[in-house]
Amino acid sequence: MPAQVSGAMSRLLAAVREFTIAQRTLALLGVAVLVLGGVALSAWLAQPKYSPLFSGLAGEDASAIVDQLEADGVAYQLADGGSTILVPADKVDQERIAAAAAGLPAQGTSGYQLLDSMGVTASEFQQDVTYKRAIEGELASTISSIRGVKAASVQLAIPEESVFVSEQADPTASVFLETSATLSEDQVQAIVHLTSAAIDGLLPENVSVVDSKGTLLSVVGEGTVGNSAQQASDYEQRVRQTVQSMLDQVVGPGNSTVVVNAVVSNESAQRVEETYQVPEGAPTTSESTSTESYSGTGNGTETGVLGPDNIAVPAGEGGDGYVNESATKNNALDKVTETTDIPAGAVSRQSVSVAVNRDAVTKVNEQTITDLVATAAGIQNARGDRVTVELTSFSTDAADRAAEAIESAKAAEQQENILRLITTGAIAAAVIAVAIIALILFRRRSRRTPAPIDVGSLAVAPAGAAGLDAAAGAWPLAPGANPPALGDAATVPLGPLASQAPTEFERLQADINALAGANPGKTADYLRALMDDRQTV
């Protein structure tokens, strides 16, 4: 072991030996806490990371999968009331393959797997019902994969095709969702279009979507929108944000406020309009002309033309007959047929109220602001929309209270920072004071010499000896006494302590005295090195 390491260890052991019983107890407790913390941290880091194996399981499937995991010796955890099974992340793929080989989860088999077990003896009705169940299961499984959807159930109402029915009813669908978060309008539209695209003839407006809270997310005939109140709120919020953003750029932030009130219809309708127009210079598509004429001599043999009740009417004088002419022309016409679907949620009327701070507006007049707001909000005078703009002085009470609150918060924060600084300084000063006191006490204790021992006359070892032989009766000199002449050991009376054995400290003191007497220079070097080692860092 290097000398520096051995010296540090020796000083550490010496410092530990100087601890009191209380200090040693605290040190042992600290070491124990560190050891236990390290063991707990190691155990926590050694735990495997668990990932979901299956979720939304029925009770029978969960029990069967747990039995399989126990048979395979794989650790598992249950969550969500037993419907979710967690296994170590590195075992997920392996256990899923094993579960699929065992046909688990069995309750989740509701897709096209139903067609695999259908025999050749199944009736046409069974085939149709099984096919519809397979489509419903596949749609439910696909919809459940959307973020925010925990589970889904799809019910299809597909009318039976028949050649004896003149008008075929449209298919409809209902989707029930168990959600873990609020779905956005885009997600609801995605679910509606995903369902309608999977069924032939199913229109998006014929899909109804309901969540587990009973909220209608999509209504049949109205599309993927909520009720009229929700539609009006969304429309008002969108228009208000548009107008407010524009006004913030014109009059500055905080100098205007916008309120939008919209009336939204919750009825849907369909309007058909047909218009006819003769195009200029269009050719005649068909023409029919018929002409009939008769003339006589007037000799009296004419009976004339037949009149009412087949009675002959005499011809007039001169013997003239009758003339019958007819003409029919069919001209090309332009026919325009317009079919307009009016969905629910159409805005029937809206009003926009704008208040502008008079004190902050100097370069823009009221008419300019009115025109800008009308254009930004899409105002239509034909349906009765209104825009009201007023220049008024804004109240500064809220701003003053906010400024006071900010100043109070800043003052409280400054006081808290000062108090924290004072507390930290006091703690640091206390720690430094304790450290200084401990250092002073340690240095005083390390420099303290034992009290002189009155042993009377002592025997002095001969010069040059590295140490003294306690068995030969060599003892250190009393403090302040002159050593005897060098040479053979001088024997002096030992006094009353002659019968006591020397202690370890006394032997060390004798060795040091002997070394100092024999080689003062080397002794000074040792003392200088000892003092350097005890210097504080």
Side-chain angles (χ1 to χ4, degrees):
M1 183 181 295
Q4 296 179 353
V5 177
S6 61
M9 292 296 296
S10 300
R11 289 192 295 272
L12 178 61
L13 293 176
V16 171
R17 290 193 187 97
E18 294 178 357
F19 285 175
T20 62
I21 296 177
Q23 292 174 341
R24 292 181 181 179
T25 304
L26 292 176
L28 291 176
L29 290 176
V31 173
V33 168
L34 290 176
V35 172
L36 293 177
V39 172
L41 180 61
S42 302
W44 179 74
L45 293 176
Q47 289 182 353
K49 182 180 180 182
Y50 284 84
S51 298
L53 180 63
F54 293 105
S55 60
L57 294 173
E60 297 178 357
D61 290 338
S63 177
I65 293 175
V66 166
D67 293 339
Q68 177 184 347
L69 294 176
E70 292 179 349
D72 295 340
V74 178
Y76 64 90
Q77 293 180 355
L78 299 178
D80 297 336
S83 61
T84 301
I85 300 178
L86 306 175
V87 297
D90 56 345
K91 299 290 185 181
V92 172
D93 297 336
Q94 176 182 351
E95 292 303 321
R96 282 183 180 174
I97 294 175
L104 297 174
Q107 297 294 332
T109 305
S110 59
Y112 288 121
Q113 297 86 350
L114 295 173
L115 303 177
D116 298 338
S117 59
M118 187 171 56
V120 295
T121 59
S123 63
E124 184 179 358
F125 175 76
Q126 290 177 336
Q127 293 177 357
D128 294 339
V129 172
T130 304
Y131 179 69
K132 186 169 74 71
R133 287 180 57 198
I135 295 178
E136 292 173 349
E138 291 293 332
L139 285 173
S141 177
T142 304
I143 294 173
S144 300
S145 302
I146 298 176
R147 180 177 300 176
V149 179
K150 295 177 60 178
S153 176
V154 180
Q155 301 293 331
L156 300 177
I158 303 176
E160 183 179 358
E161 296 181 359
S162 176
V163 297
F164 302 101
V165 179
S166 59
E167 294 183 0
Q168 186 72 27
D170 295 332
T172 59
S174 61
V175 181
F176 175 79
L177 302 177
E178 182 181 359
T179 61
S180 59
T182 303
L183 299 181
S184 63
E185 185 177 351
D186 294 338
Q187 289 178 309
V188 177
Q189 290 181 354
I191 294 173
V192 169
H193 288 280
L194 177 66
T195 305
S196 64
I199 307 300
D200 185 18
L202 180 59
L203 301 177
E205 55 266 22
N206 290 333
V207 178
S208 176
V209 181
V210 183
D211 64 2
S212 57
K213 298 179 181 179
T215 304
L216 290 173
L217 304 179
S218 176
V219 183
V220 174
E222 298 183 8
T224 59
V225 293
N227 51 26
S228 58
Q230 182 65 32
Q231 286 181 301
S233 178
D234 294 341
Y235 178 81
E236 292 170 355
Q237 182 71 13
R238 183 170 61 253
V239 174
R240 191 194 68 80
Q241 290 178 355
T242 302
V243 176
Q244 188 65 62
S245 177
M246 183 266 299
L247 290 177
D248 289 343
Q249 298 294 329
V250 175
V251 299
N255 293 322
S256 62
T257 179
V258 181
V259 177
V260 180
N261 184 14
V263 178
V264 178
S265 174
N266 57 356
E267 298 178 355
S268 60
Q270 187 179 46
R271 183 175 59 194
V272 179
E273 297 180 355
E274 292 184 356
T275 57
Y276 298 90
Q277 184 178 3
V278 179
E280 183 178 357
T284 302
T285 57
S286 64
E287 183 175 355
S288 176
T289 303
S290 176
T291 303
E292 183 179 355
S293 64
Y294 178 82
S295 62
T297 60
N299 54 8
T301 59
E302 300 174 350
T303 61
V305 297
L306 294 177
D309 299 332
N310 294 326
I311 298 175
V313 178
E317 186 177 0
D320 295 334
Y322 71 95
V323 178
N324 185 9
E325 295 180 356
S326 63
T328 302
K329 291 183 179 181
N330 294 324
N331 296 324
L333 298 177
D334 287 341
K335 179 181 179 182
V336 178
T337 302
E338 295 182 355
T339 302
T340 304
D341 292 329
I342 305 175
V347 179
S348 59
R349 184 174 57 84
Q350 69 171 338
S351 59
V352 181
S353 301
V354 178
V356 181
N357 188 5
R358 185 195 308 268
D359 302 332
V361 177
T362 57
K363 299 181 180 180
V364 182
N365 56 24
E366 184 176 348
Q367 185 60 38
T368 302
I369 297 176
T370 303
D371 296 340
L372 291 175
V373 172
T375 304
I379 298 298
Q380 299 180 13
N381 297 326
R383 65 184 183 188
D385 295 350
R386 293 184 59 189
V387 176
T388 303
V389 177
E390 292 291 340
L391 300 180
T392 183
S393 298
F394 280 17
S395 175
T396 59
D397 294 340
D400 295 340
R401 288 195 298 268
E404 293 177 358
I406 292 174
E407 294 296 333
S408 300
K410 288 183 178 179
E413 185 179 0
Q414 290 179 357
Q415 292 179 358
E416 185 178 357
N417 292 334
I418 294 173
L419 181 60
R420 187 182 300 110
L421 182 61
I422 293 175
T423 304
T424 304
I427 294 174
V431 171
I432 293 173
V434 172
I436 293 174
I437 293 173
L439 180 61
I440 293 173
L441 293 177
F442 179 76
R443 292 181 64 87
R444 287 183 179 180
R445 184 170 183 178
S446 61
R447 293 179 179 180
R448 186 172 56 191
T449 56
I453 302 176
D454 187 9
V455 296
S457 300
L458 300 176
V460 180
L468 298 179
D469 189 1
W475 292 87
L477 296 175
N482 295 323
L486 299 179
D488 296 337
T491 303
V492 296
L494 295 179
L497 297 178
S499 61
Q500 297 181 0
T503 62
E504 182 67 22
F505 178 77
E506 293 171 349
R507 287 196 295 271
L508 291 176
Q509 188 177 12
D511 292 341
I512 294 173
N513 291 334
L515 180 60
N519 194 346
K522 191 174 183 180
T523 304
D525 294 337
Y526 277 120
L527 291 177
R528 189 178 300 107
L530 182 61
M531 293 178 65
D532 293 338
D533 291 339
R534 293 189 177 181
Q535 289 180 356
T536 58
V537 179

PDB file of all heavy atoms in Angstrom, residues 109 111-122 130 133:
ATOM      1  N   THR A 109     -62.389 -12.677 -30.299  1.00  0.00           N
ATOM      2  CA  THR A 109     -62.489 -13.164 -31.667  1.00  0.00           C
ATOM      3  C   THR A 109     -63.868 -12.809 -32.207  1.00  0.00           C
ATOM      4  O   THR A 109     -64.840 -13.541 -32.000  1.00  0.00           O
ATOM      5  CB  THR A 109     -62.259 -14.687 -31.710  1.00  0.00           C
ATOM      6  OG1 THR A 109     -61.007 -14.980 -31.105  1.00  0.00           O
ATOM      7  CG2 THR A 109     -62.270 -15.197 -33.132  1.00  0.00           C
ATOM      8  N   GLY A 111     -64.018 -10.850 -35.409  1.00  0.00           N
ATOM      9  CA  GLY A 111     -63.824 -10.335 -36.742  1.00  0.00           C
ATOM     10  C   GLY A 111     -64.062 -11.400 -37.788  1.00  0.00           C
ATOM     11  O   GLY A 111     -64.971 -12.242 -37.685  1.00  0.00           O
ATOM     12  N   TYR A 112     -63.238 -11.354 -38.819  1.00  0.00           N
ATOM     13  CA  TYR A 112     -63.378 -12.337 -39.889  1.00  0.00           C
ATOM     14  C   TYR A 112     -63.034 -13.746 -39.443  1.00  0.00           C
ATOM     15  O   TYR A 112     -63.265 -14.697 -40.192  1.00  0.00           O
ATOM     16  CB  TYR A 112     -62.486 -11.927 -41.064  1.00  0.00           C
ATOM     17  CG  TYR A 112     -63.004 -10.729 -41.816  1.00  0.00           C
ATOM     18  CD1 TYR A 112     -62.233  -9.586 -41.928  1.00  0.00           C
ATOM     19  CD2 TYR A 112     -64.256 -10.729 -42.405  1.00  0.00           C
ATOM     20  CE1 TYR A 112     -62.702  -8.473 -42.607  1.00  0.00           C
ATOM     21  CE2 TYR A 112     -64.734  -9.630 -43.085  1.00  0.00           C
ATOM     22  CZ  TYR A 112     -63.951  -8.499 -43.182  1.00  0.00           C
ATOM     23  OH  TYR A 112     -64.421  -7.402 -43.858  1.00  0.00           O
ATOM     24  N   GLN A 113     -62.510 -13.917 -38.208  1.00  0.00           N
ATOM     25  CA  GLN A 113     -62.267 -15.263 -37.710  1.00  0.00           C
ATOM     26  C   GLN A 113     -63.563 -16.050 -37.532  1.00  0.00           C
ATOM     27  O   GLN A 113     -63.562 -17.280 -37.485  1.00  0.00           O
ATOM     28  CB  GLN A 113     -61.511 -15.215 -36.376  1.00  0.00           C
ATOM     29  CG  GLN A 113     -60.122 -14.610 -36.455  1.00  0.00           C
ATOM     30  CD  GLN A 113     -60.145 -13.108 -36.318  1.00  0.00           C
ATOM     31  OE1 GLN A 113     -61.207 -12.491 -36.340  1.00  0.00           O
ATOM     32  NE2 GLN A 113     -58.968 -12.507 -36.206  1.00  0.00           N
ATOM     33  N   LEU A 114     -64.696 -15.327 -37.410  1.00  0.00           N
ATOM     34  CA  LEU A 114     -65.975 -16.030 -37.284  1.00  0.00           C
ATOM     35  C   LEU A 114     -66.297 -16.848 -38.526  1.00  0.00           C
ATOM     36  O   LEU A 114     -66.998 -17.870 -38.447  1.00  0.00           O
ATOM     37  CB  LEU A 114     -67.095 -15.016 -37.020  1.00  0.00           C
ATOM     38  CG  LEU A 114     -67.030 -14.245 -35.697  1.00  0.00           C
ATOM     39  CD1 LEU A 114     -68.105 -13.179 -35.674  1.00  0.00           C
ATOM     40  CD2 LEU A 114     -67.192 -15.186 -34.519  1.00  0.00           C
ATOM     41  N   LEU A 115     -65.804 -16.403 -39.679  1.00  0.00           N
ATOM     42  CA  LEU A 115     -66.086 -17.127 -40.914  1.00  0.00           C
ATOM     43  C   LEU A 115     -65.303 -18.427 -41.008  1.00  0.00           C
ATOM     44  O   LEU A 115     -65.672 -19.311 -41.801  1.00  0.00           O
ATOM     45  CB  LEU A 115     -65.773 -16.236 -42.119  1.00  0.00           C
ATOM     46  CG  LEU A 115     -66.519 -14.890 -42.175  1.00  0.00           C
ATOM     47  CD1 LEU A 115     -66.059 -14.091 -43.383  1.00  0.00           C
ATOM     48  CD2 LEU A 115     -68.014 -15.107 -42.214  1.00  0.00           C
ATOM     49  N   ASP A 116     -64.223 -18.548 -40.223  1.00  0.00           N
ATOM     50  CA  ASP A 116     -63.417 -19.769 -40.304  1.00  0.00           C
ATOM     51  C   ASP A 116     -64.150 -20.971 -39.736  1.00  0.00           C
ATOM     52  O   ASP A 116     -63.913 -22.107 -40.172  1.00  0.00           O
ATOM     53  CB  ASP A 116     -62.092 -19.560 -39.559  1.00  0.00           C
ATOM     54  CG  ASP A 116     -61.256 -18.458 -40.189  1.00  0.00           C
ATOM     55  OD1 ASP A 116     -61.471 -18.167 -41.385  1.00  0.00           O
ATOM     56  OD2 ASP A 116     -60.412 -17.878 -39.473  1.00  0.00           O
ATOM     57  N   SER A 117     -64.999 -20.730 -38.740  1.00  0.00           N
ATOM     58  CA  SER A 117     -65.687 -21.844 -38.087  1.00  0.00           C
ATOM     59  C   SER A 117     -67.063 -22.124 -38.675  1.00  0.00           C
ATOM     60  O   SER A 117     -67.819 -22.919 -38.127  1.00  0.00           O
ATOM     61  CB  SER A 117     -65.836 -21.544 -36.587  1.00  0.00           C
ATOM     62  OG  SER A 117     -66.563 -20.343 -36.384  1.00  0.00           O
ATOM     63  N   MET A 118     -67.434 -21.457 -39.745  1.00  0.00           N
ATOM     64  CA  MET A 118     -68.751 -21.648 -40.349  1.00  0.00           C
ATOM     65  C   MET A 118     -68.687 -22.798 -41.343  1.00  0.00           C
ATOM     66  O   MET A 118     -67.842 -22.813 -42.247  1.00  0.00           O
ATOM     67  CB  MET A 118     -69.207 -20.356 -41.032  1.00  0.00           C
ATOM     68  CG  MET A 118     -70.631 -20.404 -41.536  1.00  0.00           C
ATOM     69  SD  MET A 118     -71.204 -18.766 -42.093  1.00  0.00           S
ATOM     70  CE  MET A 118     -69.953 -18.375 -43.295  1.00  0.00           C
ATOM     71  N   GLY A 119     -69.561 -23.755 -41.173  1.00  0.00           N
ATOM     72  CA  GLY A 119     -69.556 -24.938 -42.014  1.00  0.00           C
ATOM     73  C   GLY A 119     -70.354 -24.740 -43.290  1.00  0.00           C
ATOM     74  O   GLY A 119     -70.996 -23.706 -43.525  1.00  0.00           O
ATOM     75  N   VAL A 120     -70.338 -25.796 -44.102  1.00  0.00           N
ATOM     76  CA  VAL A 120     -71.035 -25.737 -45.390  1.00  0.00           C
ATOM     77  C   VAL A 120     -72.530 -25.899 -45.224  1.00  0.00           C
ATOM     78  O   VAL A 120     -73.295 -25.637 -46.162  1.00  0.00           O
ATOM     79  CB  VAL A 120     -70.477 -26.817 -46.330  1.00  0.00           C
ATOM     80  CG1 VAL A 120     -69.030 -26.536 -46.663  1.00  0.00           C
ATOM     81  CG2 VAL A 120     -70.634 -28.205 -45.735  1.00  0.00           C
ATOM     82  N   THR A 121     -72.976 -26.357 -44.057  1.00  0.00           N
ATOM     83  CA  THR A 121     -74.401 -26.581 -43.837  1.00  0.00           C
ATOM     84  C   THR A 121     -75.106 -25.333 -43.312  1.00  0.00           C
ATOM     85  O   THR A 121     -76.297 -25.395 -43.003  1.00  0.00           O
ATOM     86  CB  THR A 121     -74.594 -27.724 -42.834  1.00  0.00           C
ATOM     87  OG1 THR A 121     -73.939 -27.392 -41.600  1.00  0.00           O
ATOM     88  CG2 THR A 121     -74.013 -29.018 -43.379  1.00  0.00           C
ATOM     89  N   ALA A 122     -74.386 -24.232 -43.179  1.00  0.00           N
ATOM     90  CA  ALA A 122     -75.008 -23.015 -42.665  1.00  0.00           C
ATOM     91  C   ALA A 122     -76.008 -22.473 -43.676  1.00  0.00           C
ATOM     92  O   ALA A 122     -75.778 -22.513 -44.887  1.00  0.00           O
ATOM     93  CB  ALA A 122     -73.943 -21.971 -42.360  1.00  0.00           C
ATOM     94  N   THR A 130     -73.558 -13.870 -39.791  1.00  0.00           N
ATOM     95  CA  THR A 130     -72.149 -14.048 -39.431  1.00  0.00           C
ATOM     96  C   THR A 130     -71.269 -13.055 -40.171  1.00  0.00           C
ATOM     97  O   THR A 130     -70.318 -12.488 -39.603  1.00  0.00           O
ATOM     98  CB  THR A 130     -71.701 -15.485 -39.751  1.00  0.00           C
ATOM     99  OG1 THR A 130     -72.555 -16.399 -39.075  1.00  0.00           O
ATOM    100  CG2 THR A 130     -70.273 -15.705 -39.277  1.00  0.00           C
ATOM    101  N   ARG A 133     -71.709  -9.719 -38.460  1.00  0.00           N
ATOM    102  CA  ARG A 133     -70.971  -9.725 -37.190  1.00  0.00           C
ATOM    103  C   ARG A 133     -69.471  -9.590 -37.420  1.00  0.00           C
ATOM    104  O   ARG A 133     -68.766  -8.917 -36.646  1.00  0.00           O
ATOM    105  CB  ARG A 133     -71.262 -11.017 -36.417  1.00  0.00           C
ATOM    106  CG  ARG A 133     -72.638 -11.096 -35.800  1.00  0.00           C
ATOM    107  CD  ARG A 133     -72.782 -12.408 -35.074  1.00  0.00           C
ATOM    108  NE  ARG A 133     -71.740 -12.567 -34.071  1.00  0.00           N
ATOM    109  CZ  ARG A 133     -71.399 -13.735 -33.514  1.00  0.00           C
ATOM    110  NH1 ARG A 133     -72.013 -14.858 -33.889  1.00  0.00           N
ATOM    111  NH2 ARG A 133     -70.461 -13.789 -32.616  1.00  0.00           N
TER     112      ARG A 133
END
